[in-house]
Amino acid sequence: MSKINLPLAFETRMKAYLGKEEYEAFSNALDEEVPVAIRYNPFKPIPPLENSGKIPWSSNGVYLNERPVFTLDPLFHAGAYYVQEASSMFLDHILQVLQPAKDGIFLDLSAAPGGKSTLLSSYLGEDGFLVANEVIKARAAVLKENIIKWGLGNTLVTQNDPEHFRDLEGYFDLVLVDAPCSGEGMFRKDPNARSEWSPDHVQLCASRQERIMDQAGALVKAGGLLIYSTCTFNEAENEEMVKFISQEYSYEPVRIPFDQSWGITETVIDSEGEFYFGYRFYPHKVQGEGFFITVFRRPESAPSLQPKKTKEYKHPYITSVGKQESERLQETLSLPDQSVFYNLQDSFFWLDAAFQRGFEFLSRYLNIRYFGVELGKFNKQQFIPNHELAVSRFAKEGFMQYALDKSQALDFLRKEDLELPGIPEGWVLLTYEDQPLGWIKNLGNRSNNYYPKEWRIKMR
Ligand code: SAM
């Protein structure tokens, strides 16, 4: 592929910002290989992939020696790890340092394809609840797929414009805005980003970010955290946005301690005499792509929103499940004691009872694409399990299991017919290296492959 030059206006600005000598190192780094990084799913433990070491600011991230063909690794489809650029995993370090309460409700406002949402979901684990939102429909579908594969059941996927959150001011314990940006930090990973860049586009992105932050800044409750990030270098979308946020809303600065050997650059931002902090990632200084992140805390005096419990749950298409049917589900699937169930289009969904009120409140305002774990349905005495249940963190007791080798696992993911000697009759959970991949129903003379057709892999 012929090399696409860096845009001249970008070069001029970066030279002025970094100085001539450092600019050389920066632009040389943009011609180097992109480091490949993954983050393990702590709820789906697997043997380590061949790697060249831990990402210093991440509890579950490692650099890989080389880029494998992820499509041909069944563990990738099982949600055992997520392929994520290393710099953005600094979000994990922020969480580890600040330790926001794990039983809170977090919001990822611009979440697709789900890199940071899966990170937040891992942090919240079995205790917390995440709203992963994406405004663009097709991207929300990818986000949903990645959340389902991650399998923790602690996430509500929504598809809304930030404006639709206006009745939820002061509601969230943490709000992350990983803003749509001009993508200068992607110039190495995606050379096409170079030709799409222009000074006008930077200004357009900055105005859009102001509109988003105008809404997002109000959503954090007293004492909660607001995190803003971009994958770009210019100040208009980074430091200037920090000033905008701090001048629009009352927020306290948060400084994040880190090891100087990591190569991260801290910038100190003077906003009307108050000092805020930003963290810049440059490809010539860290093993990762360009990235910027900043953290604010909402003062204790800010308003918080506490929804009241409603007597009866009313929603145009989601209904709550009665006691008898809930007990039947709980017994059939050996689900946790603290469970609530909902019905949507004939299918049952599981949710942690601790988030019943939060979910029911949020569902009055937001356009829901997925929540908790979709379980399946009863057909007379038989339970018909859904794929979402297969890849969830639940144990799936009571279902037979069958371990596949790699070539069988790939055929299953291609949705092909499988010849599996000695497979029991009925619903069988297929696994690869102990990780569930999906269901097959063996009818004796043939078996049906229930892998979702829209996720099937086409590569050989
Ligand atoms: N957080 C994601 C991750 O880590 O995988 C990446 C998010 S990407 C940088 C920004 C997202 O913002 C895109 O998915 C884009 O569709 C979405 N977006 C675009 N316009 C938006 C708007 N006006 N308000 C909120 N989000 C928007």
PDB file of all heavy atoms in Angstrom, residues 82 84 88 108-117 133-136 139 160-162 176-181 208 211-212 229-231, ligand 1:
ATOM      1  N   TYR A  82     -10.727  -9.308  24.623  1.00  0.00           N
ATOM      2  CA  TYR A  82     -11.151  -8.243  23.709  1.00  0.00           C
ATOM      3  C   TYR A  82      -9.900  -7.638  23.108  1.00  0.00           C
ATOM      4  O   TYR A  82      -8.932  -7.392  23.830  1.00  0.00           O
ATOM      5  CB  TYR A  82     -11.938  -7.180  24.491  1.00  0.00           C
ATOM      6  CG  TYR A  82     -12.667  -6.197  23.604  1.00  0.00           C
ATOM      7  CD1 TYR A  82     -14.006  -6.386  23.267  1.00  0.00           C
ATOM      8  CD2 TYR A  82     -12.016  -5.078  23.096  1.00  0.00           C
ATOM      9  CE1 TYR A  82     -14.667  -5.484  22.435  1.00  0.00           C
ATOM     10  CE2 TYR A  82     -12.674  -4.167  22.269  1.00  0.00           C
ATOM     11  CZ  TYR A  82     -14.001  -4.385  21.946  1.00  0.00           C
ATOM     12  OH  TYR A  82     -14.658  -3.498  21.131  1.00  0.00           O
ATOM     13  N   GLN A  84      -7.949  -4.706  22.076  1.00  0.00           N
ATOM     14  CA  GLN A  84      -8.073  -3.272  22.374  1.00  0.00           C
ATOM     15  C   GLN A  84      -6.707  -2.605  22.348  1.00  0.00           C
ATOM     16  O   GLN A  84      -5.740  -3.125  22.908  1.00  0.00           O
ATOM     17  CB  GLN A  84      -8.706  -3.086  23.764  1.00  0.00           C
ATOM     18  CG  GLN A  84      -9.004  -1.647  24.091  1.00  0.00           C
ATOM     19  CD  GLN A  84      -9.747  -1.486  25.414  1.00  0.00           C
ATOM     20  OE1 GLN A  84      -9.508  -2.236  26.352  1.00  0.00           O
ATOM     21  NE2 GLN A  84     -10.635  -0.516  25.486  1.00  0.00           N
ATOM     22  N   SER A  88      -5.759   3.026  25.539  1.00  0.00           N
ATOM     23  CA  SER A  88      -7.099   3.231  26.108  1.00  0.00           C
ATOM     24  C   SER A  88      -7.348   2.381  27.356  1.00  0.00           C
ATOM     25  O   SER A  88      -8.296   2.648  28.099  1.00  0.00           O
ATOM     26  CB  SER A  88      -8.192   3.019  25.067  1.00  0.00           C
ATOM     27  OG  SER A  88      -7.858   2.047  24.163  1.00  0.00           O
ATOM     28  N   ASP A 108     -21.624   4.594  29.891  1.00  0.00           N
ATOM     29  CA  ASP A 108     -20.667   4.810  28.804  1.00  0.00           C
ATOM     30  C   ASP A 108     -21.502   5.403  27.669  1.00  0.00           C
ATOM     31  O   ASP A 108     -22.266   4.685  27.012  1.00  0.00           O
ATOM     32  CB  ASP A 108     -20.048   3.457  28.410  1.00  0.00           C
ATOM     33  CG  ASP A 108     -18.958   3.612  27.362  1.00  0.00           C
ATOM     34  OD1 ASP A 108     -18.772   4.736  26.869  1.00  0.00           O
ATOM     35  OD2 ASP A 108     -18.307   2.599  27.043  1.00  0.00           O
ATOM     36  N   LEU A 109     -21.390   6.713  27.470  1.00  0.00           N
ATOM     37  CA  LEU A 109     -22.333   7.421  26.600  1.00  0.00           C
ATOM     38  C   LEU A 109     -22.103   7.202  25.104  1.00  0.00           C
ATOM     39  O   LEU A 109     -23.026   7.260  24.315  1.00  0.00           O
ATOM     40  CB  LEU A 109     -22.267   8.930  26.916  1.00  0.00           C
ATOM     41  CG  LEU A 109     -23.339   9.813  26.312  1.00  0.00           C
ATOM     42  CD1 LEU A 109     -24.734   9.413  26.779  1.00  0.00           C
ATOM     43  CD2 LEU A 109     -23.099  11.275  26.657  1.00  0.00           C
ATOM     44  N   SER A 110     -20.852   6.971  24.713  1.00  0.00           N
ATOM     45  CA  SER A 110     -20.587   6.711  23.281  1.00  0.00           C
ATOM     46  C   SER A 110     -19.742   5.437  23.220  1.00  0.00           C
ATOM     47  O   SER A 110     -18.524   5.495  23.177  1.00  0.00           O
ATOM     48  CB  SER A 110     -19.894   7.902  22.615  1.00  0.00           C
ATOM     49  OG  SER A 110     -19.025   8.533  23.517  1.00  0.00           O
ATOM     50  N   ALA A 111     -20.438   4.314  23.237  1.00  0.00           N
ATOM     51  CA  ALA A 111     -19.815   3.066  23.658  1.00  0.00           C
ATOM     52  C   ALA A 111     -19.371   2.111  22.559  1.00  0.00           C
ATOM     53  O   ALA A 111     -18.538   1.241  22.807  1.00  0.00           O
ATOM     54  CB  ALA A 111     -20.762   2.327  24.591  1.00  0.00           C
ATOM     55  N   ALA A 112     -19.908   2.227  21.344  1.00  0.00           N
ATOM     56  CA  ALA A 112     -19.581   1.214  20.318  1.00  0.00           C
ATOM     57  C   ALA A 112     -18.145   1.392  19.812  1.00  0.00           C
ATOM     58  O   ALA A 112     -17.683   2.522  19.731  1.00  0.00           O
ATOM     59  CB  ALA A 112     -20.549   1.330  19.139  1.00  0.00           C
ATOM     60  N   PRO A 113     -17.438   0.307  19.515  1.00  0.00           N
ATOM     61  CA  PRO A 113     -17.891  -1.093  19.512  1.00  0.00           C
ATOM     62  C   PRO A 113     -17.892  -1.778  20.880  1.00  0.00           C
ATOM     63  O   PRO A 113     -18.325  -2.912  20.988  1.00  0.00           O
ATOM     64  CB  PRO A 113     -16.875  -1.766  18.585  1.00  0.00           C
ATOM     65  CG  PRO A 113     -15.630  -0.938  18.719  1.00  0.00           C
ATOM     66  CD  PRO A 113     -16.080   0.468  18.937  1.00  0.00           C
ATOM     67  N   GLY A 114     -17.406  -1.124  21.922  1.00  0.00           N
ATOM     68  CA  GLY A 114     -17.538  -1.744  23.239  1.00  0.00           C
ATOM     69  C   GLY A 114     -16.240  -1.964  23.996  1.00  0.00           C
ATOM     70  O   GLY A 114     -16.232  -2.640  25.033  1.00  0.00           O
ATOM     71  N   GLY A 115     -15.118  -1.418  23.484  1.00  0.00           N
ATOM     72  CA  GLY A 115     -13.831  -1.612  24.171  1.00  0.00           C
ATOM     73  C   GLY A 115     -13.883  -1.149  25.613  1.00  0.00           C
ATOM     74  O   GLY A 115     -13.570  -1.902  26.545  1.00  0.00           O
ATOM     75  N   LYS A 116     -14.323   0.094  25.801  1.00  0.00           N
ATOM     76  CA  LYS A 116     -14.307   0.628  27.165  1.00  0.00           C
ATOM     77  C   LYS A 116     -15.487   0.087  27.969  1.00  0.00           C
ATOM     78  O   LYS A 116     -15.397  -0.056  29.189  1.00  0.00           O
ATOM     79  CB  LYS A 116     -14.247   2.149  27.142  1.00  0.00           C
ATOM     80  CG  LYS A 116     -12.924   2.570  26.536  1.00  0.00           C
ATOM     81  CD  LYS A 116     -12.675   4.003  26.484  1.00  0.00           C
ATOM     82  CE  LYS A 116     -11.465   4.289  25.630  1.00  0.00           C
ATOM     83  NZ  LYS A 116     -11.660   3.963  24.180  1.00  0.00           N
ATOM     84  N   SER A 117     -16.588  -0.240  27.291  1.00  0.00           N
ATOM     85  CA  SER A 117     -17.720  -0.835  28.022  1.00  0.00           C
ATOM     86  C   SER A 117     -17.362  -2.208  28.596  1.00  0.00           C
ATOM     87  O   SER A 117     -17.730  -2.515  29.729  1.00  0.00           O
ATOM     88  CB  SER A 117     -18.931  -1.005  27.101  1.00  0.00           C
ATOM     89  OG  SER A 117     -19.609   0.203  26.945  1.00  0.00           O
ATOM     90  N   ASN A 133     -24.254   2.949  25.870  1.00  0.00           N
ATOM     91  CA  ASN A 133     -25.112   3.615  24.892  1.00  0.00           C
ATOM     92  C   ASN A 133     -24.361   3.936  23.612  1.00  0.00           C
ATOM     93  O   ASN A 133     -23.203   4.341  23.642  1.00  0.00           O
ATOM     94  CB  ASN A 133     -25.634   4.929  25.497  1.00  0.00           C
ATOM     95  CG  ASN A 133     -26.487   5.690  24.503  1.00  0.00           C
ATOM     96  OD1 ASN A 133     -27.595   5.251  24.174  1.00  0.00           O
ATOM     97  ND2 ASN A 133     -25.984   6.800  23.999  1.00  0.00           N
ATOM     98  N   GLU A 134     -25.041   3.775  22.493  1.00  0.00           N
ATOM     99  CA  GLU A 134     -24.464   4.156  21.196  1.00  0.00           C
ATOM    100  C   GLU A 134     -25.582   4.725  20.331  1.00  0.00           C
ATOM    101  O   GLU A 134     -26.612   4.091  20.149  1.00  0.00           O
ATOM    102  CB  GLU A 134     -23.817   2.937  20.527  1.00  0.00           C
ATOM    103  CG  GLU A 134     -23.458   3.120  19.073  1.00  0.00           C
ATOM    104  CD  GLU A 134     -22.487   4.280  18.794  1.00  0.00           C
ATOM    105  OE1 GLU A 134     -21.511   4.448  19.545  1.00  0.00           O
ATOM    106  OE2 GLU A 134     -22.741   5.021  17.827  1.00  0.00           O
ATOM    107  N   VAL A 135     -25.338   5.907  19.765  1.00  0.00           N
ATOM    108  CA  VAL A 135     -26.414   6.583  19.032  1.00  0.00           C
ATOM    109  C   VAL A 135     -26.647   5.985  17.643  1.00  0.00           C
ATOM    110  O   VAL A 135     -27.777   5.961  17.140  1.00  0.00           O
ATOM    111  CB  VAL A 135     -26.150   8.116  18.978  1.00  0.00           C
ATOM    112  CG1 VAL A 135     -24.889   8.457  18.227  1.00  0.00           C
ATOM    113  CG2 VAL A 135     -27.328   8.867  18.384  1.00  0.00           C
ATOM    114  N   ILE A 136     -25.599   5.471  17.000  1.00  0.00           N
ATOM    115  CA  ILE A 136     -25.747   4.984  15.617  1.00  0.00           C
ATOM    116  C   ILE A 136     -26.207   3.519  15.627  1.00  0.00           C
ATOM    117  O   ILE A 136     -25.563   2.658  16.235  1.00  0.00           O
ATOM    118  CB  ILE A 136     -24.433   5.173  14.835  1.00  0.00           C
ATOM    119  CG1 ILE A 136     -24.135   6.682  14.743  1.00  0.00           C
ATOM    120  CG2 ILE A 136     -24.497   4.549  13.452  1.00  0.00           C
ATOM    121  CD1 ILE A 136     -22.810   7.035  14.119  1.00  0.00           C
ATOM    122  N   ARG A 139     -23.894   0.591  14.678  1.00  0.00           N
ATOM    123  CA  ARG A 139     -22.823   0.460  15.675  1.00  0.00           C
ATOM    124  C   ARG A 139     -23.383  -0.080  16.992  1.00  0.00           C
ATOM    125  O   ARG A 139     -22.691  -0.804  17.717  1.00  0.00           O
ATOM    126  CB  ARG A 139     -22.114   1.801  15.873  1.00  0.00           C
ATOM    127  CG  ARG A 139     -21.330   2.243  14.637  1.00  0.00           C
ATOM    128  CD  ARG A 139     -20.603   3.548  14.840  1.00  0.00           C
ATOM    129  NE  ARG A 139     -19.623   3.557  15.888  1.00  0.00           N
ATOM    130  CZ  ARG A 139     -18.362   3.141  15.776  1.00  0.00           C
ATOM    131  NH1 ARG A 139     -17.931   2.679  14.628  1.00  0.00           N
ATOM    132  NH2 ARG A 139     -17.538   3.188  16.793  1.00  0.00           N
ATOM    133  N   ASN A 160     -29.360   5.738  21.995  1.00  0.00           N
ATOM    134  CA  ASN A 160     -29.943   7.068  22.175  1.00  0.00           C
ATOM    135  C   ASN A 160     -28.960   8.177  21.862  1.00  0.00           C
ATOM    136  O   ASN A 160     -27.758   8.012  22.022  1.00  0.00           O
ATOM    137  CB  ASN A 160     -30.401   7.238  23.637  1.00  0.00           C
ATOM    138  CG  ASN A 160     -31.669   6.469  23.928  1.00  0.00           C
ATOM    139  OD1 ASN A 160     -31.626   5.324  24.376  1.00  0.00           O
ATOM    140  ND2 ASN A 160     -32.793   7.065  23.636  1.00  0.00           N
ATOM    141  N   ASP A 161     -29.523   9.312  21.505  1.00  0.00           N
ATOM    142  CA  ASP A 161     -28.737  10.533  21.376  1.00  0.00           C
ATOM    143  C   ASP A 161     -28.492  11.041  22.813  1.00  0.00           C
ATOM    144  O   ASP A 161     -29.359  10.865  23.670  1.00  0.00           O
ATOM    145  CB  ASP A 161     -29.585  11.548  20.599  1.00  0.00           C
ATOM    146  CG  ASP A 161     -28.773  12.759  20.224  1.00  0.00           C
ATOM    147  OD1 ASP A 161     -28.660  13.681  21.064  1.00  0.00           O
ATOM    148  OD2 ASP A 161     -28.251  12.777  19.103  1.00  0.00           O
ATOM    149  N   PRO A 162     -27.339  11.677  23.074  1.00  0.00           N
ATOM    150  CA  PRO A 162     -27.105  12.178  24.434  1.00  0.00           C
ATOM    151  C   PRO A 162     -28.268  13.033  24.962  1.00  0.00           C
ATOM    152  O   PRO A 162     -28.568  13.010  26.159  1.00  0.00           O
ATOM    153  CB  PRO A 162     -25.825  13.009  24.286  1.00  0.00           C
ATOM    154  CG  PRO A 162     -25.105  12.382  23.144  1.00  0.00           C
ATOM    155  CD  PRO A 162     -26.151  11.869  22.215  1.00  0.00           C
ATOM    156  N   LEU A 176     -18.689   8.009  31.433  1.00  0.00           N
ATOM    157  CA  LEU A 176     -17.550   8.050  30.518  1.00  0.00           C
ATOM    158  C   LEU A 176     -18.030   8.582  29.177  1.00  0.00           C
ATOM    159  O   LEU A 176     -19.025   8.079  28.632  1.00  0.00           O
ATOM    160  CB  LEU A 176     -16.969   6.639  30.325  1.00  0.00           C
ATOM    161  CG  LEU A 176     -15.986   6.497  29.153  1.00  0.00           C
ATOM    162  CD1 LEU A 176     -14.687   7.245  29.420  1.00  0.00           C
ATOM    163  CD2 LEU A 176     -15.691   5.029  28.868  1.00  0.00           C
ATOM    164  N   VAL A 177     -17.317   9.597  28.657  1.00  0.00           N
ATOM    165  CA  VAL A 177     -17.573  10.043  27.284  1.00  0.00           C
ATOM    166  C   VAL A 177     -16.284   9.848  26.497  1.00  0.00           C
ATOM    167  O   VAL A 177     -15.326  10.598  26.654  1.00  0.00           O
ATOM    168  CB  VAL A 177     -18.027  11.515  27.221  1.00  0.00           C
ATOM    169  CG1 VAL A 177     -18.295  11.904  25.770  1.00  0.00           C
ATOM    170  CG2 VAL A 177     -19.262  11.736  28.077  1.00  0.00           C
ATOM    171  N   ASP A 178     -16.257   8.790  25.713  1.00  0.00           N
ATOM    172  CA  ASP A 178     -15.126   8.526  24.824  1.00  0.00           C
ATOM    173  C   ASP A 178     -15.570   9.123  23.492  1.00  0.00           C
ATOM    174  O   ASP A 178     -16.161   8.447  22.655  1.00  0.00           O
ATOM    175  CB  ASP A 178     -14.919   7.006  24.744  1.00  0.00           C
ATOM    176  CG  ASP A 178     -13.679   6.642  23.971  1.00  0.00           C
ATOM    177  OD1 ASP A 178     -12.718   7.423  23.993  1.00  0.00           O
ATOM    178  OD2 ASP A 178     -13.671   5.566  23.349  1.00  0.00           O
ATOM    179  N   ALA A 179     -15.298  10.402  23.338  1.00  0.00           N
ATOM    180  CA  ALA A 179     -16.000  11.208  22.338  1.00  0.00           C
ATOM    181  C   ALA A 179     -15.641  10.858  20.890  1.00  0.00           C
ATOM    182  O   ALA A 179     -14.492  10.507  20.598  1.00  0.00           O
ATOM    183  CB  ALA A 179     -15.687  12.676  22.585  1.00  0.00           C
ATOM    184  N   PRO A 180     -16.625  11.011  19.970  1.00  0.00           N
ATOM    185  CA  PRO A 180     -16.275  10.937  18.545  1.00  0.00           C
ATOM    186  C   PRO A 180     -15.321  12.091  18.264  1.00  0.00           C
ATOM    187  O   PRO A 180     -15.588  13.220  18.680  1.00  0.00           O
ATOM    188  CB  PRO A 180     -17.619  11.117  17.826  1.00  0.00           C
ATOM    189  CG  PRO A 180     -18.543  11.742  18.822  1.00  0.00           C
ATOM    190  CD  PRO A 180     -18.036  11.378  20.187  1.00  0.00           C
ATOM    191  N   CYS A 181     -14.199  11.812  17.594  1.00  0.00           N
ATOM    192  CA  CYS A 181     -13.166  12.853  17.468  1.00  0.00           C
ATOM    193  C   CYS A 181     -12.511  12.791  16.095  1.00  0.00           C
ATOM    194  O   CYS A 181     -12.840  11.939  15.274  1.00  0.00           O
ATOM    195  CB  CYS A 181     -12.118  12.673  18.578  1.00  0.00           C
ATOM    196  SG  CYS A 181     -11.074  11.230  18.351  1.00  0.00           S
ATOM    197  N   ARG A 208     -19.119  19.426  18.203  1.00  0.00           N
ATOM    198  CA  ARG A 208     -19.979  18.286  18.557  1.00  0.00           C
ATOM    199  C   ARG A 208     -19.684  17.830  19.989  1.00  0.00           C
ATOM    200  O   ARG A 208     -20.577  17.506  20.768  1.00  0.00           O
ATOM    201  CB  ARG A 208     -19.736  17.132  17.559  1.00  0.00           C
ATOM    202  CG  ARG A 208     -20.591  15.925  17.837  1.00  0.00           C
ATOM    203  CD  ARG A 208     -20.584  14.961  16.696  1.00  0.00           C
ATOM    204  NE  ARG A 208     -19.221  14.592  16.324  1.00  0.00           N
ATOM    205  CZ  ARG A 208     -18.911  13.896  15.237  1.00  0.00           C
ATOM    206  NH1 ARG A 208     -19.833  13.492  14.415  1.00  0.00           N
ATOM    207  NH2 ARG A 208     -17.664  13.585  14.979  1.00  0.00           N
ATOM    208  N   ARG A 211     -21.444  19.970  22.410  1.00  0.00           N
ATOM    209  CA  ARG A 211     -22.874  19.621  22.512  1.00  0.00           C
ATOM    210  C   ARG A 211     -23.053  18.381  23.382  1.00  0.00           C
ATOM    211  O   ARG A 211     -23.939  18.316  24.222  1.00  0.00           O
ATOM    212  CB  ARG A 211     -23.459  19.355  21.124  1.00  0.00           C
ATOM    213  CG  ARG A 211     -23.896  20.605  20.391  1.00  0.00           C
ATOM    214  CD  ARG A 211     -24.907  20.277  19.295  1.00  0.00           C
ATOM    215  NE  ARG A 211     -24.525  19.169  18.427  1.00  0.00           N
ATOM    216  CZ  ARG A 211     -23.706  19.262  17.382  1.00  0.00           C
ATOM    217  NH1 ARG A 211     -23.167  20.420  17.077  1.00  0.00           N
ATOM    218  NH2 ARG A 211     -23.420  18.210  16.635  1.00  0.00           N
ATOM    219  N   ILE A 212     -22.190  17.388  23.190  1.00  0.00           N
ATOM    220  CA  ILE A 212     -22.316  16.140  23.963  1.00  0.00           C
ATOM    221  C   ILE A 212     -22.052  16.420  25.440  1.00  0.00           C
ATOM    222  O   ILE A 212     -22.799  15.994  26.319  1.00  0.00           O
ATOM    223  CB  ILE A 212     -21.333  15.056  23.429  1.00  0.00           C
ATOM    224  CG1 ILE A 212     -21.696  14.676  21.993  1.00  0.00           C
ATOM    225  CG2 ILE A 212     -21.317  13.839  24.331  1.00  0.00           C
ATOM    226  CD1 ILE A 212     -20.702  13.749  21.309  1.00  0.00           C
ATOM    227  N   SER A 229     -12.550  11.273  27.150  1.00  0.00           N
ATOM    228  CA  SER A 229     -11.354  10.842  26.419  1.00  0.00           C
ATOM    229  C   SER A 229     -11.549  11.013  24.916  1.00  0.00           C
ATOM    230  O   SER A 229     -12.681  11.088  24.421  1.00  0.00           O
ATOM    231  CB  SER A 229     -11.022   9.374  26.742  1.00  0.00           C
ATOM    232  OG  SER A 229     -12.075   8.532  26.351  1.00  0.00           O
ATOM    233  N   THR A 230     -10.415  11.089  24.209  1.00  0.00           N
ATOM    234  CA  THR A 230     -10.428  11.130  22.744  1.00  0.00           C
ATOM    235  C   THR A 230      -9.213  10.332  22.249  1.00  0.00           C
ATOM    236  O   THR A 230      -8.302  10.035  23.029  1.00  0.00           O
ATOM    237  CB  THR A 230     -10.261  12.561  22.173  1.00  0.00           C
ATOM    238  OG1 THR A 230      -8.915  12.982  22.418  1.00  0.00           O
ATOM    239  CG2 THR A 230     -11.235  13.549  22.742  1.00  0.00           C
ATOM    240  N   CYS A 231      -9.196  10.068  20.935  1.00  0.00           N
ATOM    241  CA  CYS A 231      -7.986   9.471  20.367  1.00  0.00           C
ATOM    242  C   CYS A 231      -7.380  10.483  19.409  1.00  0.00           C
ATOM    243  O   CYS A 231      -7.083  10.173  18.264  1.00  0.00           O
ATOM    244  CB  CYS A 231      -8.290   8.132  19.708  1.00  0.00           C
ATOM    245  SG  CYS A 231      -9.451   8.238  18.364  1.00  0.00           S
TER     246      CYS A 231
HETATM  247  N1  SAM B   1     -15.865   3.846  23.472  1.00  0.00           N
HETATM  248  C1  SAM B   1     -15.736   3.048  22.269  1.00  0.00           C
HETATM  249  C2  SAM B   1     -14.774   1.912  22.509  1.00  0.00           C
HETATM  250  O1  SAM B   1     -13.902   2.034  23.377  1.00  0.00           O
HETATM  251  O2  SAM B   1     -14.919   0.865  21.856  1.00  0.00           O
HETATM  252  C3  SAM B   1     -15.309   3.903  21.102  1.00  0.00           C
HETATM  253  C4  SAM B   1     -16.200   5.110  20.901  1.00  0.00           C
HETATM  254  S1  SAM B   1     -15.848   6.068  19.474  1.00  0.00           S
HETATM  255  C5  SAM B   1     -14.414   6.870  19.910  1.00  0.00           C
HETATM  256  C6  SAM B   1     -17.073   7.305  19.573  1.00  0.00           C
HETATM  257  C7  SAM B   1     -18.489   6.844  19.386  1.00  0.00           C
HETATM  258  O3  SAM B   1     -19.357   7.987  19.483  1.00  0.00           O
HETATM  259  C8  SAM B   1     -18.772   6.200  18.045  1.00  0.00           C
HETATM  260  O4  SAM B   1     -19.286   4.914  18.220  1.00  0.00           O
HETATM  261  C9  SAM B   1     -19.800   7.119  17.399  1.00  0.00           C
HETATM  262  O5  SAM B   1     -20.771   6.437  16.653  1.00  0.00           O
HETATM  263  C10 SAM B   1     -20.438   7.795  18.601  1.00  0.00           C
HETATM  264  N2  SAM B   1     -21.069   9.097  18.269  1.00  0.00           N
HETATM  265  C11 SAM B   1     -21.109   9.719  17.065  1.00  0.00           C
HETATM  266  N3  SAM B   1     -21.812  10.860  17.165  1.00  0.00           N
HETATM  267  C12 SAM B   1     -22.209  10.967  18.445  1.00  0.00           C
HETATM  268  C13 SAM B   1     -22.984  11.922  19.150  1.00  0.00           C
HETATM  269  N4  SAM B   1     -23.457  13.010  18.551  1.00  0.00           N
HETATM  270  N5  SAM B   1     -23.202  11.712  20.461  1.00  0.00           N
HETATM  271  C14 SAM B   1     -22.698  10.617  21.076  1.00  0.00           C
HETATM  272  N6  SAM B   1     -21.960   9.686  20.448  1.00  0.00           N
HETATM  273  C15 SAM B   1     -21.725   9.852  19.158  1.00  0.00           C
END
